[in-house]
Amino acid sequence: MELLIKSAAIVEDGGYAKKDIYVKGGKIAEIADAVKKDGCEILDAQGQFALPGLIDMHVHLREPGFEGKEDILTGSRAAVAGGFTQVCCMPNTLPVCDTAVGVGYIKYRQAQVNLCKINPIGAITKGQEGKQLSDIGKMAGAGAVAISDDGKSVMDSQMMRLAMEYANDFGLRCLCHCEDANLSDGGVVNEGYNSCLAGLRGQIRAVEDIMIAREICLSESLGIPTHICHVTTHSGVQLIREAKKRGVKVTAETCPHYFTLTDDVILDYNTDTKVNPPLREEIDRLAVIEGLKDGTIDCIVTDHAPHTKKDKETEYDTAAFGFVGLETSFALSYTYLVKTGIITFAKLVELMSTNPAKILNLNGGKLEVGAPADITIVDIEKRHTIDPSKFLSKGRNTPFSGWEVWGDVRATIVDGEIKYTDEKGSVV
Ligand code: DOR
Ligand code: ZN
Ligand code: ZN
């Protein structure tokens, strides 16, 4: 199991350096100007970049229970096609992943499928019902990397406090889907000018902001880290920025759709624009970008939420919330953040690899000797049109169909094994 990646550009602060990367026994064994080895597999990366394997700390793989939308095999294929060497999957499956057995099942399936690394996230409360804490300690023992009731907020603040304390004892962080369930009150889009025009029920920003503020308050009072999922509002970004300034241990993520789209796109009632939290307004989109730039938002995740055609081919009010994202995230992020000059390529690598690894204490995010050989090879000069019919995910629900983007994943290497190339597709 030896692999020599030839002439890859490695991103460094302020530029890049051209190197050979020699991989042995699943680890990076050498990085040098020119490595000579006989008899090993060669991957010519001339004109391409080698990045530390991308990590998506927020995906929905749907198995068990919703295999019509996605399963662990198709979700893993989509992940490696998108350049991800590790993903973390949310527990809103059927049954909900709220026990050590549920966590073990995902680990077992990950080993069977053996494409990207899959880190299970356990539920905060049993059945994600917000009433009783799940067996957080046992899930930690079985390999859960975090806990979350994503899809819902834990509305009971005392329950959330106990969850944070309990999880913290096992070194796990709570990942908070911030939505005041009473205030969101059936809203399907952002409340504002466009929701009025469209005649659709809206959610005001406070739906999200109130819960962001609560998580910050809990984190600050308890001295326990917290993580805010998919930030979308300008006011939420500001709450996190101010909290970080005071020294609160809060981290945050956003998704490509929140820095590329506004709720203008809901006006044609295409249900592929329906997502929770909803697409907001230009002031929010710009604030999310500013948050990514100044470090208020620590990482980019996809919130990959595959749904069937049937789930989406219905009226706007009843359609399922969510977009697939694994196969578009890198190109959208590269095109709209790096190519536009908003952030450096090095910063994008932090947002999509280094920081998620740090936040969840994952072994990854580094391209250095001794590290696991989790490597993503990309061609940033390659332009392509997003075509959902080519996705390896079962989900086709994306608002980005037909978009022209730059940046193509050429190969995805996990523990030194090539799991995807753009010529051969996924290896399983
Ligand atoms: O749009 C969303 N889809 N938001 C969520 O919070 C859940 C997710 C899903 O599971 O479909
Ligand atoms: Zn969520
Ligand atoms: Zn989610």
Side-chain angles (χ1 to χ4, degrees):
M1 242 182 42
E2 289 173 56
L3 174 69
L4 182 56
I5 303 168
K6 292 293 290 178
S7 309
I10 292 181
V11 181
E12 290 178 338
D13 225 2
Y16 66 90
K18 222 172 196 190
K19 302 276 182 194
D20 289 354
I21 305 168
Y22 175 55
V23 170
K24 196 178 173 187
K27 296 213 166 12
I28 298 176
E30 195 178 342
I31 302 177
D33 290 343
V35 180
K36 275 211 158 51
K37 297 279 171 199
D38 293 325
C40 60
E41 190 172 355
I42 306 271
L43 200 147
D44 182 10
Q46 179 71 34
Q48 295 158 22
F49 278 85
L51 314 177
L54 304 181
I55 301 173
D56 188 346
M57 61 178 278
H58 186 154
V59 304
H60 298 266
L61 297 181
R62 306 301 192 201
E63 183 182 339
F66 300 109
E67 290 85 351
K69 297 175 192 274
E70 190 81 288
D71 59 43
I72 286 174
L73 175 60
T74 57
S76 301
R77 283 183 180 146
V80 292
F84 293 98
T85 54
Q86 296 201 52
V87 299
C88 305
C89 61
M90 284 296 179
N92 60 341
T93 48
L94 192 68
V96 167
C97 181
D98 56 6
T99 60
V101 172
V103 169
Y105 173 78
I106 291 163
K107 304 274 291 180
Y108 167 74
R109 288 284 292 135
Q110 188 279 334
Q112 263 186 335
V113 167
N114 194 26
L115 283 171
C116 63
K117 295 171 183 171
I118 302 176
N119 306 292
I121 298 166
I124 298 174
T125 63
K126 288 194 175 153
Q128 294 190 293
E129 283 174 356
K131 298 200 181 97
Q132 222 185 327
L133 286 181
S134 51
D135 294 329
I136 297 169
K138 284 189 183 146
M139 292 194 294
V145 297
I147 56 167
S148 179
D149 269 1
D150 184 53
K152 291 179 182 171
S153 273
V154 175
M155 288 303 295
D156 179 335
S157 303
Q158 168 69 350
M159 183 78 67
M160 196 61 186
R161 174 205 173 153
L162 293 173
M164 287 171 74
E165 290 177 334
Y166 187 4
N168 190 52
D169 287 343
F170 292 92
L172 301 190
R173 201 175 284 221
C174 293
L175 314 180
C176 308
H177 170 106
C178 292
E179 175 183 354
D180 184 313
N182 301 307
L183 199 57
S184 58
D185 192 28
V188 293
V189 291
N190 176 63
E191 182 172 322
Y193 181 70
N194 285 330
S195 66
C196 287
L197 272 186
L200 292 170
R201 199 177 181 94
Q203 296 185 19
I204 54 174
R205 292 185 181 88
V207 167
E208 184 172 336
D209 298 345
I210 284 169
M211 298 311 278
I212 294 177
R214 185 194 72 174
E215 305 314 343
I216 289 170
C217 290
L218 284 173
S219 172
E220 191 163 17
S221 296
L222 303 171
I224 294 174
T226 191
H227 177 83
I228 310 296
C229 290
H230 41 50
V231 178
T232 74
T233 64
H234 69 85
S235 30
V237 173
Q238 187 58 16
L239 283 168
I240 297 162
R241 181 178 290 123
E242 284 162 4
K244 281 192 168 185
K245 242 181 231 156
R246 295 199 298 281
V248 182
K249 293 178 205 146
V250 55
T251 52
E253 59 180 48
T254 194
C255 316
H257 39 277
Y258 300 121
F259 59 77
T260 53
L261 290 171
T262 67
D263 65 354
D264 285 352
V265 297
I266 69 165
L267 291 173
D268 63 4
Y269 300 96
N270 178 353
T271 58
D272 283 338
T273 64
K274 182 175 173 181
V275 65
N276 197 25
L279 300 173
R280 306 268 183 198
E281 297 177 43
E282 185 64 1
I283 181 180
D284 303 291
R285 192 183 74 85
L286 295 175
V288 164
I289 291 175
E290 203 47 47
L292 286 164
K293 242 171 102 170
D294 73 7
T296 301
I297 300 175
D298 303 84
C299 42
I300 296 171
V301 303
T302 62
D303 199 4
H304 179 76
H307 290 292
T308 63
K309 227 174 160 196
K310 202 164 152 240
D311 296 326
K312 283 288 192 181
E313 269 183 359
T314 166
E315 57 272 34
Y316 209 95
D317 282 335
T318 51
F321 286 102
F323 305 157
V324 286
L326 284 167
E327 293 168 85
T328 51
S329 183
F330 175 75
L332 286 167
S333 302
Y334 180 78
T335 305
Y336 287 89
L337 297 176
V338 180
K339 202 152 173 76
T340 48
I342 292 170
I343 62 169
T344 62
F345 201 4
K347 175 77 180 172
L348 183 67
V349 171
E350 269 177 36
L351 291 164
M352 295 189 74
S353 179
T354 327
N355 290 349
K358 272 190 203 154
I359 291 168
L360 294 183
N361 219 356
L362 306 174
N363 192 6
K366 287 182 193 148
L367 207 57
E368 61 185 34
V369 172
D374 292 352
I375 303 168
T376 303
I377 310 281
V378 295
D379 183 344
I380 55 169
E381 299 299 331
K382 197 163 165 209
R383 194 173 165 190
H384 66 278
T385 306
I386 294 174
D387 177 358
S389 72
K390 300 218 171 92
F391 288 166
L392 301 185
S393 168
K394 285 185 192 173
R396 300 283 181 266
N397 47 304
T398 173
F400 298 110
S401 178
W403 282 40
E404 291 273 330
V405 285
W406 273 264
D408 211 21
V409 175
R410 307 306 304 265
T412 306
I413 298 156
V414 181
D415 283 336
E417 286 179 21
I418 300 175
K419 299 295 188 183
Y420 170 86
T421 69
D422 59 344
E423 286 131 31
K424 294 185 198 141
S426 123
V427 299
V428 177

